[in-house]
Amino acid sequence: MRTFAALTGLITGVVLAAGLGASAQAAPAVSPSTRDDTLTAMQGEAYAWARYLAYAQGADFEHHADVAALFRRTARVERYDHFAMEAASIGFVGTDVENLSAAIAGEEYEATTLYPRFARQAARDGCAPAAELFTELAADEAVHAQQFRLARDALLHPEGSQNFPVGERVTPVPIRPGPPRCTGRTLDNLLAATRGESFAAARYGLYAEHARSDGQRRLGRLFDNTASQELGEHFAQTAQLAGLVATTEDNLRGAIDGEQYEATTMYPTFSRRAAAAGDEASADMFAEIAHDEAGHAHRFTDALIDLIT
């Protein structure tokens, strides 16, 4: 199985393929290394948000209401505090047209390259459910790309009669604890897909907020509804096949490990690197988030002790 670094590298490739640096000219002046570290951090925060929401479902399933509530509170901090703050620090959100162009590039890459490749690998690995799911995701992403193209055309040519789609909010698919349904490279690809879909959902949430601030309420609905499918359906389906949600005890242990790594290694490294590059605001932000993650690790540890004693 690939390492965490390899999986993160794969999603970084997806981010770059999506053209998310298109608005760099309007971004705050930070060094390339700080921008790269911030994008890596954003991927991690988006994934933590989605994963903790999934863990909360697992805790609900096992009747651990207090743990479920803790996971949901922490998920909110990761998405609406850390992810949003990091995005603002590098000017991640551009104009509505730039955001749509970035979204189109990402969805087209997933529809034509990433998910078809994952589907072929799943077929070779003999995991039919994953092959079918990746094929379905590719088709969904093609629809998203077309909807975003129509929305961009409507913004660029407001005098015309273009259809301005708003998409459709999906009913979330429940995620239950269970083992992986696939192995080998297909399991790696499922885990990579959970990261990519969580990142897409989080960034579309930011794009929706920006669209509404511009008075583009229909565009805000389109981004929100697309985000609902990326998180509530695509992330959930790939997470279920990947066996992402284990027992509540194991989920807490995994969360503790992740938060401790971010608190003691990742964010301190990013902070030192930003300071060395002269990006003091980013260095302070990374240090602040490291402190938050240490607090999360502490609260998860307390919850684990309560659970097993």
Side-chain angles (χ1 to χ4, degrees), residues 221-300:
R221 285 176 60 193
L222 175 60
F223 277 129
D224 275 337
N225 287 339
T226 308
S228 79
Q229 185 170 30
E230 305 285 36
L231 180 67
E233 189 175 278
H234 296 178
F235 170 85
Q237 290 170 323
T238 53
Q240 189 70 63
L241 285 183
L244 187 68
V245 178
T247 67
T248 299
E249 179 180 339
D250 286 342
N251 293 337
L252 280 168
R253 293 185 188 278
I256 292 166
D257 288 345
E259 298 290 340
Q260 287 180 338
Y261 167 74
E262 290 185 342
T264 64
T265 303
M266 188 183 85
Y267 278 119
T269 298
F270 289 177
S271 182
R272 289 191 296 270
R273 196 145 54 207
D279 299 325
E280 294 298 335
S282 294
D284 291 345
M285 176 188 69
F286 289 141
E288 176 185 340
I289 296 176
H291 180 268
D292 289 348
E293 308 298 27
H296 295 168
H298 178 76
R299 285 184 282 277
F300 285 144

Side-chain angles (χ1 to χ4, degrees), residues 20-30 35 86-94 98:
L20 298 183
S23 300
Q25 68 274 15
V30 298
R35 183 175 176 80
E86 289 163 350
S89 77
I90 58 171
F92 182 76
V93 177
E98 288 173 331

Side-chain angles (χ1 to χ4, degrees), residues 37-296:
D37 286 344
T38 304
L39 285 170
T40 296
M42 289 172 63
Q43 294 163 38
E45 296 297 332
Y47 188 53
W49 164 60
R51 191 171 79 253
Y52 292 163
L53 291 177
Y55 288 174
Q57 290 188 50
D60 284 335
F61 185 76
E62 294 184 351
H63 307 292
H64 299 304
D66 290 346
V67 179
L70 174 60
F71 275 131
R72 290 191 173 98
R73 286 196 302 271
T74 310
R76 185 167 185 82
V77 172
E78 306 287 39
R79 160 61 182 88
Y80 295 98
D81 187 349
H82 297 172
F83 180 87
M85 178 166 43
E86 289 163 350
S89 77
I90 58 171
F92 182 76
V93 177
T95 66
D96 290 329
V97 170
E98 288 173 331
N99 295 337
L100 282 165
S101 294
I104 291 165
E107 298 292 338
E108 286 181 341
Y109 172 73
E110 290 182 340
T112 63
T113 304
L114 184 74
Y115 285 132
R117 174 159 56 86
F118 284 1
R120 291 191 296 271
Q121 182 63 50
R124 287 193 293 269
D125 288 344
C127 188
E132 293 171 5
L133 176 58
F134 287 136
T135 300
E136 176 186 329
L137 296 187
D140 287 347
E141 309 300 23
V143 171
H144 294 167
Q146 177 61 12
Q147 289 176 331
F148 289 147
R149 278 193 294 270
L150 290 171
R152 185 177 62 181
D153 287 346
L155 288 182
L156 290 173
H157 306 286
E159 72 284 356
S161 58
Q162 293 85 358
N163 177 35
F164 200 123
V166 296
E168 183 178 352
R169 182 168 289 273
V170 304
T171 301
V173 174
I175 307 173
R176 294 288 180 258
R181 296 278 301 278
C182 307
T183 59
R185 291 184 63 184
T186 293
L187 177 56
D188 291 344
N189 291 340
L190 285 165
L191 291 171
T194 63
R195 290 182 174 276
E197 295 298 325
S198 62
F199 187 80
R203 71 182 175 105
Y204 290 163
L206 292 183
Y207 291 172
E209 293 167 11
H210 182 273
R212 284 190 292 271
S213 73
D214 271 358
Q216 297 290 345
R217 289 187 295 177
R218 288 182 67 84
L219 179 57
R221 285 176 60 193
L222 175 60
F223 277 129
D224 275 337
N225 287 339
T226 308
S228 79
Q229 185 170 30
E230 305 285 36
L231 180 67
E233 189 175 278
H234 296 178
F235 170 85
Q237 290 170 323
T238 53
Q240 189 70 63
L241 285 183
L244 187 68
V245 178
T247 67
T248 299
E249 179 180 339
D250 286 342
N251 293 337
L252 280 168
R253 293 185 188 278
I256 292 166
D257 288 345
E259 298 290 340
Q260 287 180 338
Y261 167 74
E262 290 185 342
T264 64
T265 303
M266 188 183 85
Y267 278 119
T269 298
F270 289 177
S271 182
R272 289 191 296 270
R273 196 145 54 207
D279 299 325
E280 294 298 335
S282 294
D284 291 345
M285 176 188 69
F286 289 141
E288 176 185 340
I289 296 176
H291 180 268
D292 289 348
E293 308 298 27
H296 295 168

